[in-house]
Amino acid sequence: MSEATGERAPAFSFPTRAYRSLAIWKKLSPEWQLALWLLITLRISLGLIAVLALRFLPVTFVGGRHLEEIIHGNDVWTQSLSAW
């Protein structure tokens, strides 16, 4: 708490969180760093591929109830959720 203004300082600021995250990252073994990097990279890239596939080649005919389970909409967020 600041004496002059009576305001409280935030518990965590962005640089503190970034330094803490970096410190945790450096404590991980190289195998865990690779595993986390692959997990994040593949999740992002496969999500982008799914959205691009829905944009350029929309589902027009599929047997069963698949068309009923797709979330209809043209925005990217809806299409990325629909790809799951």
Side-chain angles (χ1 to χ4, degrees):
M1 186 179 295
S2 174
E3 296 287 329
T5 61
E7 295 177 5
R8 299 177 87 186
F12 296 103
S13 63
F14 176 73
T16 304
R17 287 183 186 175
Y19 293 137
R20 186 173 290 178
S21 298
L22 185 61
I24 291 171
W25 177 258
K26 287 183 178 182
K27 287 182 183 179
L28 293 174
S29 67
E31 293 85 11
W32 276 105
Q33 287 180 353
L34 178 63
L36 287 174
W37 181 82
L38 282 173
L39 176 75
I40 293 168
T41 304
L42 288 175
R43 180 65 202 123
I44 291 171
S45 61
L46 291 175
L48 287 174
I49 290 170
V51 167
L52 289 174
L54 285 174
R55 287 254 178 199
F56 292 121
L57 187 64
V59 179
T60 55
F61 176 74
V62 175
R65 295 184 48 204
H66 182 70
L67 287 177
E68 296 173 9
E69 296 174 359
I70 292 178
I71 303 170
H72 297 284
N74 291 332
D75 59 331
V76 176
W77 181 250
T78 302
Q79 287 182 348
S80 65
L81 287 177
S82 204
W84 283 10

